[in-house]
Amino acid sequence: MSESGFVCTPAETRSFQHELRFFLLKAAIFVLFIAGMFLFVFGLFRCSDSRMHPACKDGDLVFYYRLQQEYRPRDVVVLEKDGELQIQRIVAMGGDVVDLTEAGLQINGYLQQEPDISTETLPYTEGSSFPVTVPPGEFFVLSDNRPQSKDSRSYGTVSAEEIKGLVITLLRRRGF
């Protein structure tokens, strides 16, 4: 008999051990489920520059969906180019003709109205020559902060295989 007056029988001890093992098994399954979700379904990326400013600022955390099959213009995606993960906005897809003129960005002959872009979209002296016809299954991507970015103007179109996923949300990190 213990000080509190309770006595644990061998059956109660086995029951407690069984409950503890069952709880630990459930916790392990939950951890494996969450790990599997982030390995195969969702991704996490930290913005480390200002190429997508103001949509994504340095230090923000981006969650993206890896299983997306179709992309369209205006989608923000995480892609891997030259061994580097980056966030870009799709502006044109396979079959579209992209041209950069003094008037601005033109897709299929139409000047694009981009209310979220506050800077001019100018071609680079090195890189793609315009107009560019986007091959099937590929995309033309641009950053929101056009003067300070490396995008399709410098490295050309992006294949669907280079796109890692569609950005679904981001978490602002301030003061870190």
Side-chain angles (χ1 to χ4, degrees), residues 35-96:
M37 292 295 284
F38 275 95
L39 284 173
F40 302 109
V41 179
F42 299 104
L44 183 64
F45 174 73
R46 182 181 173 274
C47 293
S48 59
D49 56 31
S50 62
R51 72 176 66 163
M52 282 299 286
H53 188 272
C56 183
K57 298 177 181 173
D58 185 18
D60 290 348
L61 293 176
V62 175
F63 287 94
Y64 60 96
Y65 181 61
R66 296 177 191 259
L67 302 179
Q68 185 75 20
Q69 297 295 315
E70 295 181 19
Y71 301 98
R72 61 181 195 261
R74 304 281 313 149
D75 283 347
V76 177
V77 296
V78 173
L79 60 93
E80 184 174 0
K81 194 68 173 175
D82 301 327
E84 174 192 13
L85 282 179
Q86 42 184 268
I87 300 172
Q88 302 285 354
R89 185 178 305 278
I90 295 174
V91 296
M93 50 194 295
D96 290 338

Side-chain angles (χ1 to χ4, degrees), residues 1 3 9 16 24 31 37 46-47 65 67-68 70 76 84 95 103 111 113 123 125-126 135 157 159 167 175:
M1 185 150 45
E3 291 179 15
T9 65
F16 174 75
L24 292 175
V31 167
M37 292 295 284
R46 182 181 173 274
C47 293
Y65 181 61
L67 302 179
Q68 185 75 20
E70 295 181 19
V76 177
E84 174 192 13
L111 185 61
Q113 301 298 318
T125 55
E126 295 179 10
T157 59
S159 69
V167 172

Side-chain angles (χ1 to χ4, degrees), residues 13-39:
T13 303
R14 280 192 299 273
S15 176
F16 174 75
Q17 289 174 346
H18 175 74
E19 292 291 327
L20 181 62
R21 275 190 245 126
F22 187 64
F23 172 76
L24 292 175
L25 177 65
K26 287 194 294 187
I29 289 171
F30 178 74
V31 167
L32 287 173
F33 174 76
I34 295 298
M37 292 295 284
F38 275 95
L39 284 173

